[in-house]
PDB file of all heavy atoms in Angstrom:
ATOM      1  N   LEU A 535       0.802  -1.222   0.003  1.00  0.00           N
ATOM      2  CA  LEU A 535      -0.020   0.007  -0.011  1.00  0.00           C
ATOM      3  C   LEU A 535       0.867   1.264  -0.001  1.00  0.00           C
ATOM      4  O   LEU A 535       0.434   2.313  -0.570  1.00  0.00           O
ATOM      5  CB  LEU A 535      -0.939  -0.015   1.199  1.00  0.00           C
ATOM      6  CG  LEU A 535      -2.025  -1.163   1.228  1.00  0.00           C
ATOM      7  CD1 LEU A 535      -2.861  -1.030   2.439  1.00  0.00           C
ATOM      8  CD2 LEU A 535      -2.848  -1.102   0.010  1.00  0.00           C
ATOM      9  N   THR A 536       2.055   1.194   0.680  1.00  0.00           N
ATOM     10  CA  THR A 536       2.922   2.350   0.632  1.00  0.00           C
ATOM     11  C   THR A 536       3.442   2.633  -0.773  1.00  0.00           C
ATOM     12  O   THR A 536       3.472   3.775  -1.258  1.00  0.00           O
ATOM     13  CB  THR A 536       4.067   2.141   1.606  1.00  0.00           C
ATOM     14  OG1 THR A 536       3.612   1.930   2.899  1.00  0.00           O
ATOM     15  CG2 THR A 536       5.051   3.348   1.554  1.00  0.00           C
ATOM     16  N   THR A 537       3.784   1.564  -1.495  1.00  0.00           N
ATOM     17  CA  THR A 537       4.266   1.758  -2.870  1.00  0.00           C
ATOM     18  C   THR A 537       3.172   2.204  -3.833  1.00  0.00           C
ATOM     19  O   THR A 537       3.421   3.170  -4.612  1.00  0.00           O
ATOM     20  CB  THR A 537       4.829   0.397  -3.392  1.00  0.00           C
ATOM     21  OG1 THR A 537       5.829  -0.048  -2.417  1.00  0.00           O
ATOM     22  CG2 THR A 537       5.394   0.572  -4.721  1.00  0.00           C
ATOM     23  N   LEU A 538       1.934   1.649  -3.642  1.00  0.00           N
ATOM     24  CA  LEU A 538       0.880   2.109  -4.499  1.00  0.00           C
ATOM     25  C   LEU A 538       0.444   3.515  -4.234  1.00  0.00           C
ATOM     26  O   LEU A 538      -0.066   4.237  -5.103  1.00  0.00           O
ATOM     27  CB  LEU A 538      -0.372   1.134  -4.359  1.00  0.00           C
ATOM     28  CG  LEU A 538      -0.126  -0.275  -4.815  1.00  0.00           C
ATOM     29  CD1 LEU A 538      -1.343  -1.109  -4.572  1.00  0.00           C
ATOM     30  CD2 LEU A 538       0.266  -0.347  -6.313  1.00  0.00           C
ATOM     31  N   GLY A 539       0.620   4.004  -2.968  1.00  0.00           N
ATOM     32  CA  GLY A 539       0.207   5.348  -2.549  1.00  0.00           C
ATOM     33  C   GLY A 539       1.089   6.440  -3.077  1.00  0.00           C
ATOM     34  O   GLY A 539       0.782   7.600  -3.019  1.00  0.00           O
ATOM     35  N   GLN A 540       2.310   6.039  -3.655  1.00  0.00           N
ATOM     36  CA  GLN A 540       3.190   7.058  -4.119  1.00  0.00           C
ATOM     37  C   GLN A 540       2.873   7.553  -5.538  1.00  0.00           C
ATOM     38  O   GLN A 540       3.531   8.483  -6.040  1.00  0.00           O
ATOM     39  CB  GLN A 540       4.628   6.462  -4.139  1.00  0.00           C
ATOM     40  CG  GLN A 540       5.157   6.126  -2.774  1.00  0.00           C
ATOM     41  CD  GLN A 540       6.527   5.511  -2.792  1.00  0.00           C
ATOM     42  OE1 GLN A 540       7.012   5.154  -3.854  1.00  0.00           O
ATOM     43  NE2 GLN A 540       7.087   5.262  -1.609  1.00  0.00           N
ATOM     44  N   GLY A 541       1.946   6.927  -6.212  1.00  0.00           N
ATOM     45  CA  GLY A 541       1.570   7.309  -7.540  1.00  0.00           C
ATOM     46  C   GLY A 541       0.084   7.189  -7.781  1.00  0.00           C
ATOM     47  O   GLY A 541      -0.694   7.041  -6.824  1.00  0.00           O
ATOM     48  N   GLU A 542      -0.324   7.264  -9.025  1.00  0.00           N
ATOM     49  CA  GLU A 542      -1.734   7.065  -9.369  1.00  0.00           C
ATOM     50  C   GLU A 542      -2.111   5.634  -9.171  1.00  0.00           C
ATOM     51  O   GLU A 542      -1.368   4.656  -9.411  1.00  0.00           O
ATOM     52  CB  GLU A 542      -1.964   7.459 -10.873  1.00  0.00           C
ATOM     53  CG  GLU A 542      -1.786   8.922 -11.125  1.00  0.00           C
ATOM     54  CD  GLU A 542      -2.854   9.745 -10.471  1.00  0.00           C
ATOM     55  OE1 GLU A 542      -4.023   9.259 -10.293  1.00  0.00           O
ATOM     56  OE2 GLU A 542      -2.555  10.909 -10.027  1.00  0.00           O
ATOM     57  N   PRO A 543      -3.364   5.371  -8.682  1.00  0.00           N
ATOM     58  CA  PRO A 543      -3.777   4.035  -8.427  1.00  0.00           C
ATOM     59  C   PRO A 543      -3.883   3.238  -9.743  1.00  0.00           C
ATOM     60  O   PRO A 543      -4.344   3.798 -10.804  1.00  0.00           O
ATOM     61  CB  PRO A 543      -5.153   4.167  -7.764  1.00  0.00           C
ATOM     62  CG  PRO A 543      -5.624   5.541  -8.175  1.00  0.00           C
ATOM     63  CD  PRO A 543      -4.396   6.383  -8.325  1.00  0.00           C
ATOM     64  N   PRO A 544      -3.572   1.929  -9.753  1.00  0.00           N
ATOM     65  CA  PRO A 544      -3.667   1.160 -10.988  1.00  0.00           C
ATOM     66  C   PRO A 544      -5.135   0.855 -11.339  1.00  0.00           C
ATOM     67  O   PRO A 544      -6.031   0.968 -10.483  1.00  0.00           O
ATOM     68  CB  PRO A 544      -2.893  -0.094 -10.710  1.00  0.00           C
ATOM     69  CG  PRO A 544      -3.027  -0.254  -9.205  1.00  0.00           C
ATOM     70  CD  PRO A 544      -3.073   1.179  -8.677  1.00  0.00           C
ATOM     71  N   ALA A 545      -5.365   0.438 -12.554  1.00  0.00           N
ATOM     72  CA  ALA A 545      -6.762   0.063 -12.939  1.00  0.00           C
ATOM     73  C   ALA A 545      -7.091  -1.337 -12.394  1.00  0.00           C
ATOM     74  O   ALA A 545      -8.270  -1.601 -12.113  1.00  0.00           O
ATOM     75  CB  ALA A 545      -6.839   0.048 -14.504  1.00  0.00           C
ATOM     76  N   LEU A 546      -6.075  -2.184 -12.180  1.00  0.00           N
ATOM     77  CA  LEU A 546      -6.350  -3.506 -11.685  1.00  0.00           C
ATOM     78  C   LEU A 546      -5.173  -3.910 -10.806  1.00  0.00           C
ATOM     79  O   LEU A 546      -3.977  -3.702 -11.110  1.00  0.00           O
ATOM     80  CB  LEU A 546      -6.453  -4.511 -12.844  1.00  0.00           C
ATOM     81  CG  LEU A 546      -6.548  -5.982 -12.468  1.00  0.00           C
ATOM     82  CD1 LEU A 546      -7.881  -6.220 -11.745  1.00  0.00           C
ATOM     83  CD2 LEU A 546      -6.521  -6.929 -13.715  1.00  0.00           C
ATOM     84  N   LEU A 547      -5.512  -4.471  -9.602  1.00  0.00           N
ATOM     85  CA  LEU A 547      -4.528  -4.982  -8.662  1.00  0.00           C
ATOM     86  C   LEU A 547      -4.903  -6.407  -8.357  1.00  0.00           C
ATOM     87  O   LEU A 547      -5.950  -6.731  -7.907  1.00  0.00           O
ATOM     88  CB  LEU A 547      -4.583  -4.132  -7.361  1.00  0.00           C
ATOM     89  CG  LEU A 547      -3.714  -4.648  -6.190  1.00  0.00           C
ATOM     90  CD1 LEU A 547      -2.258  -4.643  -6.557  1.00  0.00           C
ATOM     91  CD2 LEU A 547      -3.983  -3.814  -4.943  1.00  0.00           C
ATOM     92  N   VAL A 548      -3.959  -7.296  -8.661  1.00  0.00           N
ATOM     93  CA  VAL A 548      -4.096  -8.748  -8.418  1.00  0.00           C
ATOM     94  C   VAL A 548      -3.180  -9.165  -7.206  1.00  0.00           C
ATOM     95  O   VAL A 548      -2.017  -8.893  -7.262  1.00  0.00           O
ATOM     96  CB  VAL A 548      -3.760  -9.580  -9.626  1.00  0.00           C
ATOM     97  CG1 VAL A 548      -3.888 -11.054  -9.411  1.00  0.00           C
ATOM     98  CG2 VAL A 548      -4.623  -9.163 -10.818  1.00  0.00           C
ATOM     99  N   ILE A 549      -3.805  -9.740  -6.228  1.00  0.00           N
ATOM    100  CA  ILE A 549      -3.071 -10.281  -5.074  1.00  0.00           C
ATOM    101  C   ILE A 549      -3.161 -11.795  -5.119  1.00  0.00           C
ATOM    102  O   ILE A 549      -4.231 -12.385  -4.974  1.00  0.00           O
ATOM    103  CB  ILE A 549      -3.629  -9.771  -3.739  1.00  0.00           C
ATOM    104  CG1 ILE A 549      -3.601  -8.199  -3.745  1.00  0.00           C
ATOM    105  CG2 ILE A 549      -2.843 -10.289  -2.591  1.00  0.00           C
ATOM    106  CD1 ILE A 549      -2.229  -7.613  -3.774  1.00  0.00           C
ATOM    107  N   ASP A 550      -2.026 -12.450  -5.241  1.00  0.00           N
ATOM    108  CA  ASP A 550      -2.005 -13.898  -5.390  1.00  0.00           C
ATOM    109  C   ASP A 550      -1.015 -14.530  -4.332  1.00  0.00           C
ATOM    110  O   ASP A 550       0.200 -14.530  -4.548  1.00  0.00           O
ATOM    111  CB  ASP A 550      -1.532 -14.304  -6.794  1.00  0.00           C
ATOM    112  CG  ASP A 550      -1.623 -15.798  -7.097  1.00  0.00           C
ATOM    113  OD1 ASP A 550      -2.199 -16.515  -6.206  1.00  0.00           O
ATOM    114  OD2 ASP A 550      -1.160 -16.182  -8.169  1.00  0.00           O
ATOM    115  N   SER A 551      -1.556 -14.905  -3.153  1.00  0.00           N
ATOM    116  CA  SER A 551      -2.876 -14.999  -2.755  1.00  0.00           C
ATOM    117  C   SER A 551      -3.046 -14.281  -1.395  1.00  0.00           C
ATOM    118  O   SER A 551      -2.076 -13.917  -0.783  1.00  0.00           O
ATOM    119  CB  SER A 551      -3.304 -16.463  -2.625  1.00  0.00           C
ATOM    120  OG  SER A 551      -2.514 -17.053  -1.588  1.00  0.00           O
ATOM    121  N   ILE A 552      -4.315 -14.121  -0.949  1.00  0.00           N
ATOM    122  CA  ILE A 552      -4.580 -13.421   0.244  1.00  0.00           C
ATOM    123  C   ILE A 552      -4.073 -14.149   1.501  1.00  0.00           C
ATOM    124  O   ILE A 552      -3.729 -13.526   2.498  1.00  0.00           O
ATOM    125  CB  ILE A 552      -6.095 -13.070   0.379  1.00  0.00           C
ATOM    126  CG1 ILE A 552      -6.375 -12.132   1.532  1.00  0.00           C
ATOM    127  CG2 ILE A 552      -6.937 -14.382   0.444  1.00  0.00           C
ATOM    128  CD1 ILE A 552      -5.702 -10.837   1.502  1.00  0.00           C
ATOM    129  N   GLN A 553      -3.966 -15.449   1.370  1.00  0.00           N
ATOM    130  CA  GLN A 553      -3.482 -16.255   2.537  1.00  0.00           C
ATOM    131  C   GLN A 553      -1.990 -16.060   2.789  1.00  0.00           C
ATOM    132  O   GLN A 553      -1.507 -16.463   3.830  1.00  0.00           O
ATOM    133  CB  GLN A 553      -3.774 -17.697   2.328  1.00  0.00           C
ATOM    134  CG  GLN A 553      -5.211 -18.163   2.705  1.00  0.00           C
ATOM    135  CD  GLN A 553      -6.212 -17.772   1.710  1.00  0.00           C
ATOM    136  OE1 GLN A 553      -5.887 -17.407   0.589  1.00  0.00           O
ATOM    137  NE2 GLN A 553      -7.472 -17.845   2.049  1.00  0.00           N
ATOM    138  N   THR A 554      -1.232 -15.511   1.816  1.00  0.00           N
ATOM    139  CA  THR A 554       0.190 -15.300   2.028  1.00  0.00           C
ATOM    140  C   THR A 554       0.524 -13.906   2.549  1.00  0.00           C
ATOM    141  O   THR A 554       1.665 -13.579   2.868  1.00  0.00           O
ATOM    142  CB  THR A 554       0.942 -15.531   0.702  1.00  0.00           C
ATOM    143  OG1 THR A 554       0.468 -14.610  -0.287  1.00  0.00           O
ATOM    144  CG2 THR A 554       0.697 -16.966   0.229  1.00  0.00           C
ATOM    145  N   MET A 555      -0.500 -13.009   2.558  1.00  0.00           N
ATOM    146  CA  MET A 555      -0.249 -11.649   2.988  1.00  0.00           C
ATOM    147  C   MET A 555      -0.198 -11.559   4.490  1.00  0.00           C
ATOM    148  O   MET A 555      -0.865 -12.319   5.207  1.00  0.00           O
ATOM    149  CB  MET A 555      -1.345 -10.706   2.457  1.00  0.00           C
ATOM    150  CG  MET A 555      -1.480 -10.632   0.961  1.00  0.00           C
ATOM    151  SD  MET A 555      -0.052  -9.814   0.183  1.00  0.00           S
ATOM    152  CE  MET A 555       0.628 -11.102  -0.813  1.00  0.00           C
ATOM    153  N   HIS A 556       0.527 -10.574   5.041  1.00  0.00           N
ATOM    154  CA  HIS A 556       0.576 -10.323   6.461  1.00  0.00           C
ATOM    155  C   HIS A 556       0.679  -8.853   6.760  1.00  0.00           C
ATOM    156  O   HIS A 556       1.222  -8.086   5.935  1.00  0.00           O
ATOM    157  CB  HIS A 556       1.723 -11.106   7.075  1.00  0.00           C
ATOM    158  CG  HIS A 556       3.032 -10.374   6.953  1.00  0.00           C
ATOM    159  ND1 HIS A 556       3.815 -10.531   5.816  1.00  0.00           N
ATOM    160  CD2 HIS A 556       3.730  -9.548   7.829  1.00  0.00           C
ATOM    161  CE1 HIS A 556       4.963  -9.769   6.011  1.00  0.00           C
ATOM    162  NE2 HIS A 556       4.910  -9.214   7.144  1.00  0.00           N
ATOM    163  N   SER A 557       0.170  -8.486   7.877  1.00  0.00           N
ATOM    164  CA  SER A 557       0.239  -7.134   8.374  1.00  0.00           C
ATOM    165  C   SER A 557       1.007  -7.053   9.669  1.00  0.00           C
ATOM    166  O   SER A 557       0.766  -7.896  10.561  1.00  0.00           O
ATOM    167  CB  SER A 557      -1.192  -6.539   8.551  1.00  0.00           C
ATOM    168  OG  SER A 557      -1.159  -5.261   9.201  1.00  0.00           O
ATOM    169  N   ASP A 558       1.932  -6.071   9.829  1.00  0.00           N
ATOM    170  CA  ASP A 558       2.711  -5.957  11.038  1.00  0.00           C
ATOM    171  C   ASP A 558       1.931  -5.391  12.210  1.00  0.00           C
ATOM    172  O   ASP A 558       2.475  -5.347  13.297  1.00  0.00           O
ATOM    173  CB  ASP A 558       3.931  -5.164  10.781  1.00  0.00           C
ATOM    174  CG  ASP A 558       3.629  -3.758  10.181  1.00  0.00           C
ATOM    175  OD1 ASP A 558       2.438  -3.446  10.134  1.00  0.00           O
ATOM    176  OD2 ASP A 558       4.552  -3.077   9.765  1.00  0.00           O
ATOM    177  N   THR A 559       0.687  -4.979  11.997  1.00  0.00           N
ATOM    178  CA  THR A 559      -0.134  -4.465  13.088  1.00  0.00           C
ATOM    179  C   THR A 559      -0.976  -5.579  13.736  1.00  0.00           C
ATOM    180  O   THR A 559      -1.670  -5.326  14.699  1.00  0.00           O
ATOM    181  CB  THR A 559      -1.112  -3.390  12.566  1.00  0.00           C
ATOM    182  OG1 THR A 559      -1.958  -3.902  11.552  1.00  0.00           O
ATOM    183  CG2 THR A 559      -0.274  -2.233  11.962  1.00  0.00           C
ATOM    184  N   ILE A 560      -0.891  -6.784  13.176  1.00  0.00           N
ATOM    185  CA  ILE A 560      -1.699  -7.877  13.660  1.00  0.00           C
ATOM    186  C   ILE A 560      -0.747  -9.027  14.060  1.00  0.00           C
ATOM    187  O   ILE A 560       0.155  -9.361  13.264  1.00  0.00           O
ATOM    188  CB  ILE A 560      -2.746  -8.398  12.616  1.00  0.00           C
ATOM    189  CG1 ILE A 560      -3.632  -7.206  12.243  1.00  0.00           C
ATOM    190  CG2 ILE A 560      -3.551  -9.505  13.168  1.00  0.00           C
ATOM    191  CD1 ILE A 560      -4.569  -7.543  11.040  1.00  0.00           C
ATOM    192  N   GLU A 561      -0.985  -9.616  15.174  1.00  0.00           N
ATOM    193  CA  GLU A 561      -0.144 -10.736  15.633  1.00  0.00           C
ATOM    194  C   GLU A 561      -0.671 -12.027  14.919  1.00  0.00           C
ATOM    195  O   GLU A 561      -1.848 -12.186  14.625  1.00  0.00           O
ATOM    196  CB  GLU A 561      -0.242 -10.927  17.140  1.00  0.00           C
ATOM    197  CG  GLU A 561       0.350  -9.786  17.884  1.00  0.00           C
ATOM    198  CD  GLU A 561       0.380 -10.037  19.363  1.00  0.00           C
ATOM    199  OE1 GLU A 561      -0.191 -11.133  19.789  1.00  0.00           O
ATOM    200  OE2 GLU A 561       0.870  -9.175  20.133  1.00  0.00           O
ATOM    201  N   GLY A 562       0.290 -12.925  14.647  1.00  0.00           N
ATOM    202  CA  GLY A 562      -0.082 -14.169  14.042  1.00  0.00           C
ATOM    203  C   GLY A 562       0.650 -14.350  12.670  1.00  0.00           C
ATOM    204  O   GLY A 562       1.116 -13.396  12.075  1.00  0.00           O
ATOM    205  N   ALA A 563       0.756 -15.612  12.288  1.00  0.00           N
ATOM    206  CA  ALA A 563       1.424 -15.954  11.083  1.00  0.00           C
ATOM    207  C   ALA A 563       0.497 -15.752   9.873  1.00  0.00           C
ATOM    208  O   ALA A 563      -0.701 -15.655  10.036  1.00  0.00           O
ATOM    209  CB  ALA A 563       1.863 -17.402  11.096  1.00  0.00           C
ATOM    210  N   PRO A 564       1.049 -15.548   8.684  1.00  0.00           N
ATOM    211  CA  PRO A 564       0.199 -15.326   7.481  1.00  0.00           C
ATOM    212  C   PRO A 564      -0.749 -16.581   7.299  1.00  0.00           C
ATOM    213  O   PRO A 564      -0.268 -17.700   7.480  1.00  0.00           O
ATOM    214  CB  PRO A 564       1.185 -15.275   6.318  1.00  0.00           C
ATOM    215  CG  PRO A 564       2.444 -14.726   6.963  1.00  0.00           C
ATOM    216  CD  PRO A 564       2.464 -15.332   8.367  1.00  0.00           C
ATOM    217  N   GLY A 565      -1.936 -16.315   6.949  1.00  0.00           N
ATOM    218  CA  GLY A 565      -2.911 -17.369   6.750  1.00  0.00           C
ATOM    219  C   GLY A 565      -3.850 -17.591   7.883  1.00  0.00           C
ATOM    220  O   GLY A 565      -4.846 -18.323   7.770  1.00  0.00           O
ATOM    221  N   THR A 566      -3.539 -17.066   9.078  1.00  0.00           N
ATOM    222  CA  THR A 566      -4.440 -17.151  10.168  1.00  0.00           C
ATOM    223  C   THR A 566      -5.649 -16.309   9.982  1.00  0.00           C
ATOM    224  O   THR A 566      -5.704 -15.417   9.130  1.00  0.00           O
ATOM    225  CB  THR A 566      -3.716 -16.688  11.487  1.00  0.00           C
ATOM    226  OG1 THR A 566      -3.272 -15.362  11.358  1.00  0.00           O
ATOM    227  CG2 THR A 566      -2.539 -17.639  11.770  1.00  0.00           C
ATOM    228  N   VAL A 567      -6.727 -16.563  10.757  1.00  0.00           N
ATOM    229  CA  VAL A 567      -7.977 -15.879  10.602  1.00  0.00           C
ATOM    230  C   VAL A 567      -7.806 -14.328  10.779  1.00  0.00           C
ATOM    231  O   VAL A 567      -8.338 -13.561   9.947  1.00  0.00           O
ATOM    232  CB  VAL A 567      -9.015 -16.365  11.626  1.00  0.00           C
ATOM    233  CG1 VAL A 567     -10.299 -15.569  11.597  1.00  0.00           C
ATOM    234  CG2 VAL A 567      -9.345 -17.854  11.336  1.00  0.00           C
ATOM    235  N   SER A 568      -7.108 -13.909  11.776  1.00  0.00           N
ATOM    236  CA  SER A 568      -6.934 -12.491  12.011  1.00  0.00           C
ATOM    237  C   SER A 568      -6.122 -11.820  10.902  1.00  0.00           C
ATOM    238  O   SER A 568      -6.444 -10.675  10.480  1.00  0.00           O
ATOM    239  CB  SER A 568      -6.232 -12.231  13.382  1.00  0.00           C
ATOM    240  OG  SER A 568      -5.042 -12.945  13.465  1.00  0.00           O
ATOM    241  N   GLN A 569      -5.081 -12.519  10.426  1.00  0.00           N
ATOM    242  CA  GLN A 569      -4.255 -11.908   9.371  1.00  0.00           C
ATOM    243  C   GLN A 569      -5.054 -11.795   8.083  1.00  0.00           C
ATOM    244  O   GLN A 569      -4.973 -10.798   7.365  1.00  0.00           O
ATOM    245  CB  GLN A 569      -3.003 -12.777   9.149  1.00  0.00           C
ATOM    246  CG  GLN A 569      -1.913 -12.548  10.206  1.00  0.00           C
ATOM    247  CD  GLN A 569      -1.166 -11.256  10.020  1.00  0.00           C
ATOM    248  OE1 GLN A 569      -1.394 -10.544   9.022  1.00  0.00           O
ATOM    249  NE2 GLN A 569      -0.245 -10.948  10.930  1.00  0.00           N
ATOM    250  N   VAL A 570      -5.774 -12.840   7.690  1.00  0.00           N
ATOM    251  CA  VAL A 570      -6.525 -12.847   6.399  1.00  0.00           C
ATOM    252  C   VAL A 570      -7.600 -11.729   6.525  1.00  0.00           C
ATOM    253  O   VAL A 570      -7.749 -10.986   5.537  1.00  0.00           O
ATOM    254  CB  VAL A 570      -7.142 -14.228   6.137  1.00  0.00           C
ATOM    255  CG1 VAL A 570      -8.069 -14.160   4.951  1.00  0.00           C
ATOM    256  CG2 VAL A 570      -6.052 -15.248   5.895  1.00  0.00           C
ATOM    257  N   ARG A 571      -8.267 -11.659   7.587  1.00  0.00           N
ATOM    258  CA  ARG A 571      -9.297 -10.666   7.688  1.00  0.00           C
ATOM    259  C   ARG A 571      -8.759  -9.249   7.687  1.00  0.00           C
ATOM    260  O   ARG A 571      -9.274  -8.343   7.025  1.00  0.00           O
ATOM    261  CB  ARG A 571     -10.149 -10.877   9.005  1.00  0.00           C
ATOM    262  CG  ARG A 571     -11.305  -9.918   9.195  1.00  0.00           C
ATOM    263  CD  ARG A 571     -12.150 -10.288  10.382  1.00  0.00           C
ATOM    264  NE  ARG A 571     -11.381 -10.239  11.598  1.00  0.00           N
ATOM    265  CZ  ARG A 571     -11.181 -11.363  12.355  1.00  0.00           C
ATOM    266  NH1 ARG A 571     -11.736 -12.477  12.017  1.00  0.00           N
ATOM    267  NH2 ARG A 571     -10.483 -11.307  13.441  1.00  0.00           N
ATOM    268  N   GLY A 572      -7.697  -9.005   8.481  1.00  0.00           N
ATOM    269  CA  GLY A 572      -7.114  -7.714   8.537  1.00  0.00           C
ATOM    270  C   GLY A 572      -6.496  -7.252   7.201  1.00  0.00           C
ATOM    271  O   GLY A 572      -6.668  -6.108   6.820  1.00  0.00           O
ATOM    272  N   CYS A 573      -5.720  -8.127   6.566  1.00  0.00           N
ATOM    273  CA  CYS A 573      -5.089  -7.818   5.251  1.00  0.00           C
ATOM    274  C   CYS A 573      -6.166  -7.534   4.227  1.00  0.00           C
ATOM    275  O   CYS A 573      -6.014  -6.594   3.430  1.00  0.00           O
ATOM    276  CB  CYS A 573      -4.169  -8.923   4.837  1.00  0.00           C
ATOM    277  SG  CYS A 573      -2.739  -9.131   5.944  1.00  0.00           S
ATOM    278  N   ALA A 574      -7.150  -8.326   4.181  1.00  0.00           N
ATOM    279  CA  ALA A 574      -8.213  -8.178   3.177  1.00  0.00           C
ATOM    280  C   ALA A 574      -8.945  -6.833   3.411  1.00  0.00           C
ATOM    281  O   ALA A 574      -9.282  -6.113   2.436  1.00  0.00           O
ATOM    282  CB  ALA A 574      -9.262  -9.291   3.258  1.00  0.00           C
ATOM    283  N   LEU A 575      -9.170  -6.444   4.715  1.00  0.00           N
ATOM    284  CA  LEU A 575      -9.859  -5.197   4.980  1.00  0.00           C
ATOM    285  C   LEU A 575      -9.054  -4.010   4.464  1.00  0.00           C
ATOM    286  O   LEU A 575      -9.572  -3.071   3.895  1.00  0.00           O
ATOM    287  CB  LEU A 575     -10.100  -5.093   6.482  1.00  0.00           C
ATOM    288  CG  LEU A 575     -10.752  -3.780   6.965  1.00  0.00           C
ATOM    289  CD1 LEU A 575     -12.129  -3.641   6.337  1.00  0.00           C
ATOM    290  CD2 LEU A 575     -10.873  -3.793   8.515  1.00  0.00           C
TER     291      LEU A 575
END
């Protein structure tokens, strides 16, 4: 999100996959319920 916020938003953003994403504001490993919900939000 930091990289995308430095310029114009793209027309299409593909995330492959949401279970591999993680947020440093949420405890837990990637793929856990809290991580998937928080990253998707």
